[in-house]
Amino acid sequence: MTPLIFITNDDGYLSRGLRHLADTAKEFGDVVVVAPESNASGQSTSITCARPLRVRHVGDWGGVAYHACSGTPADCVKMGTEQICPRRPDLVLSGINFGSNASINIIYSGTMGAVLEGCLSGFPSIGFSLLHHNPEGDLSGCTAVVQHILSEVLAHPLPDWTGLNVNIPRLPADQIKGIRICRQARAAWRDSLEKRIDPAGQPYYWMTGKFVCNDMEPDSDMRALTDGYVSVVPVRPDFTHCEAIPLLGHLAKENCETTA
Amino acid sequence: MTPLIFITNDDGYLSRGLRHLADTAKEFGDVVVVAPESNASGQSTSITCARPLRVRHVGDWGGVAYHACSGTPADCVKMGTEQICPRRPDLVLSGINFGSNASINIIYSGTMGAVLEGCLSGFPSIGFSLLHHNPEGDLSGCTAVVQHILSEVLAHPLPDWTGLNVNIPRLPADQIKGIRICRQARAAWRDSLEKRIDPAGQPYYWMTGKFVCNDMEPDSDMRALTDGYVSVVPVRPDFTHCEAIPLLGHLAKENCETTA
């Protein structure tokens, strides 16, 4: 049977990156799109609990049906896979995002929030991001990368409970050196808030910050991208720090009636 | 020097769980609170990029200064630790949340989003959740648990890049069997959206769903809680599925100029 490919993003249903991904994916199967009404960057795996969700068909472009949902990227995955897709999709894709989701950026990313939601619901799920912040940026370097990965993943299913975080360097197609399988580089954002004073003399703060990464080991995604490679990090929706478990025996206890 | 303890939550600055945590923590150090203006459940590690943030001092209760921030729990951690705390805090706490953040719930949780934000910024960070959805629920079973964990963590620092996800069963203090160190149980929410029809005949959807967990192995957090124990899962802000890396060699490639 023709594969059914569900696609969402966090830049909203009108993003060129979403259209590029859908147009590339439709060579590999039937495509259904449900994406946020507007930009949902930074929304992580947040879901909408306090108000109801809406979804509407907004158009058919390039032979693909596009729907807009009032919620987050993770909401879009639930809406798309449970309510809009005619059957259980074979793949969940998210992107192509404008801007890096490598390293620690994954934790804030709506693009990757959708991938983690797809993954925990049992779908092979892949997020694509281009290291270019301009929504008018050149997407041509992404085409062969998306084609290669979709072709491989449809031929050789991903391991159980696994998604992929794919980041693509901002390079013309013929200058991308290749694709590396990596782990997430350790990094952080420093000095996140810029304080300003409004006309009434009151402070307000803009999210900003400096990305600090000293983890450029050969297996890190930041190293691959710096070297001109596409980085592919297998991910799963599990935060357990397994190596720490044997170090925390002193916290265990056989009753809690008295204080320590 | 007296430890400085920063506290936030996702239920908002007026939550009884926040007050209970701050009142318990103040026996261990100086406490500063910055919490969301209102309920921010389900916000994961989302951050606010598209609009500026505000923060205001809302009162001093029980000798602790409380601030309300217009953003998400992760925003509150950035705001609190960078702008409000007089110095770098020694601990970041989040909670006490009303409702479980065990197993896969962590991925949607604003409470645990704050912990992951604290953790990646280099702070020992701990989230506390009570398995009771009612914001008027009895918190007395939590006191000795929080005391024990704060006392241990201040005496024996957590491993680097490590936070804790602490879930407390809904039991009187003298019926809690003890504390177990666990891993996150694998689970998912099924049938997430309930469709309804509005008075104009148009569909809308409420987030709901059925929690499905078949992972009751002795080391899982769901098993500990079912057995009447507090579950403590060490967490880190890293999604890499390390075991999958060696299985994905077929995706690697030394150039991307042609399609697969």
Side-chain angles (χ1 to χ4, degrees):
Chain A
M1 195 193 282
T2 311
L4 179 61
I5 301 173
F6 171 74
I7 305 185
T8 190
N9 76 347
D10 77 353
D11 288 331
Y13 74 90
L14 289 173
S15 164
R16 291 172 56 247
L18 177 69
R19 179 70 193 269
H20 194 91
L21 184 55
D23 286 347
T24 308
K26 73 188 185 194
E27 302 161 27
F28 296 87
D30 297 326
V31 172
V32 172
V33 171
V34 179
E37 285 279 359
S38 56
N39 191 304
S41 294
Q43 294 207 350
S44 188
T45 318
S46 61
I47 52 173
T48 303
C49 303
R51 57 180 192 281
L53 293 169
R54 299 278 191 171
V55 64
R56 63 193 178 100
H57 176 233
V58 287
D60 293 289
W61 302 317
V64 171
Y66 284 70
H67 305 77
C69 172
S70 59
T72 67
D75 292 335
C76 289
V77 173
K78 291 176 189 285
M79 184 68 77
T81 59
E82 293 184 16
Q83 300 287 339
I84 305 296
C85 283
R87 58 186 173 85
R88 200 172 154 81
D90 299 285
L91 271 183
V92 168
L93 307 182
S94 181
I96 299 170
N97 187 64
F98 287 100
S100 172
N101 282 317
S103 180
I104 200 63
N105 295 307
I106 186 176
I107 206 165
Y108 304 117
S109 166
T111 304
M112 288 307 299
V115 168
L116 292 161
E117 174 62 39
C119 193
L120 77 88
S121 298
F123 302 106
S125 304
I126 310 172
F128 294 95
S129 305
L130 173 64
L131 272 61
H132 195 322
H133 273 92
N134 185 341
E136 301 304 320
D138 177 15
L139 289 154
S140 61
C142 302
T143 310
V145 175
V146 172
Q147 287 172 328
H148 171 70
I149 289 174
L150 294 193
S151 156
E152 284 294 326
V153 166
L154 287 168
H156 312 283
L158 290 177
D160 185 35
W161 195 242
T162 303
L164 300 179
N165 183 14
V166 180
N167 282 269
I168 303 168
R170 180 183 170 173
L171 291 170
D174 61 359
Q175 289 176 36
I176 294 179
K177 292 243 188 81
I179 299 176
R180 279 192 198 152
I181 316 304
C182 309
R183 64 168 174 79
Q184 177 186 321
R186 181 167 165 171
W189 286 89
R190 304 279 179 223
D191 306 322
S192 312
L193 297 170
E194 183 180 312
K195 184 177 181 174
R196 297 189 179 185
I197 303 297
D198 71 16
Q202 298 302 310
Y204 64 102
Y205 302 84
W206 282 109
M207 191 65 66
T208 169
K210 202 166 56 208
F211 181 72
V212 180
C213 176
N214 299 314
D215 179 2
M216 298 297 279
E217 297 297 311
D219 60 344
S220 85
D221 57 357
M222 289 305 296
R223 174 62 178 267
L225 291 162
T226 304
D227 289 351
Y229 283 78
V230 174
S231 65
V232 176
V233 176
V235 298
R236 59 176 183 174
D238 186 341
F239 288 102
T240 309
H241 185 358
C242 296
E243 296 82 356
I245 290 177
L247 307 176
L248 295 174
H250 61 99
L251 290 173
K253 208 166 183 264
E254 267 310 308
N255 72 73
C256 288
E257 287 183 63
T258 55
T259 65
Chain B
M1 195 193 284
T2 311
L4 179 61
I5 301 174
F6 171 74
I7 306 185
T8 190
N9 77 346
D10 76 352
D11 288 331
Y13 75 91
L14 290 173
S15 164
R16 291 172 57 247
L18 178 68
R19 179 70 194 268
H20 194 91
L21 183 55
D23 286 347
T24 308
K26 75 188 182 192
E27 302 161 27
F28 296 88
D30 298 325
V31 172
V32 173
V33 171
V34 180
E37 285 280 358
S38 56
N39 190 304
S41 294
Q43 294 207 349
S44 187
T45 318
S46 61
I47 52 173
T48 303
C49 303
R51 58 180 192 282
L53 293 170
R54 299 277 192 172
V55 64
R56 65 194 177 100
H57 177 232
V58 287
D60 293 288
W61 302 317
V64 171
Y66 284 72
H67 306 78
C69 173
S70 59
T72 66
D75 292 336
C76 288
V77 174
K78 292 177 188 283
M79 183 69 78
T81 59
E82 293 183 17
Q83 300 287 338
I84 305 297
C85 284
R87 57 187 174 84
R88 201 173 155 80
D90 299 286
L91 271 183
V92 168
L93 307 182
S94 182
I96 300 170
N97 187 65
F98 286 99
S100 172
N101 282 318
S103 180
I104 200 65
N105 295 307
I106 185 176
I107 207 166
Y108 304 117
S109 166
T111 304
M112 288 306 299
V115 169
L116 292 162
E117 174 62 38
C119 194
L120 76 89
S121 299
F123 302 107
S125 304
I126 310 172
F128 295 96
S129 305
L130 173 65
L131 273 62
H132 196 323
H133 274 92
N134 185 340
E136 301 303 320
D138 177 13
L139 289 154
S140 61
C142 301
T143 310
V145 175
V146 173
Q147 287 171 329
H148 171 70
I149 288 174
L150 294 193
S151 157
E152 284 294 327
V153 166
L154 287 168
H156 311 284
L158 290 177
D160 184 38
W161 194 241
T162 305
L164 300 179
N165 182 15
V166 180
N167 282 270
I168 303 168
R170 180 182 171 173
L171 291 170
D174 61 359
Q175 289 176 36
I176 294 179
K177 293 244 188 79
I179 298 176
R180 279 192 197 151
I181 316 303
C182 310
R183 64 167 175 79
Q184 178 187 319
R186 180 167 166 171
W189 286 89
R190 304 279 178 221
D191 306 322
S192 311
L193 297 170
E194 183 180 312
K195 183 176 181 174
R196 296 188 180 186
I197 302 296
D198 72 16
Q202 299 301 312
Y204 64 102
Y205 302 83
W206 283 108
M207 190 66 65
T208 170
K210 201 167 56 208
F211 181 72
V212 181
C213 176
N214 298 315
D215 179 1
M216 297 297 278
E217 297 297 312
D219 61 344
S220 85
D221 56 358
M222 290 305 295
R223 174 61 178 269
L225 291 162
T226 303
D227 288 352
Y229 283 79
V230 173
S231 65
V232 176
V233 176
V235 297
R236 60 176 182 173
D238 187 341
F239 287 102
T240 309
H241 185 356
C242 296
E243 296 82 355
I245 290 178
L247 306 177
L248 296 174
H250 61 97
L251 290 174
K253 206 165 182 263
E254 267 308 309
N255 72 73
C256 289
E257 288 184 64
T258 54
T259 65

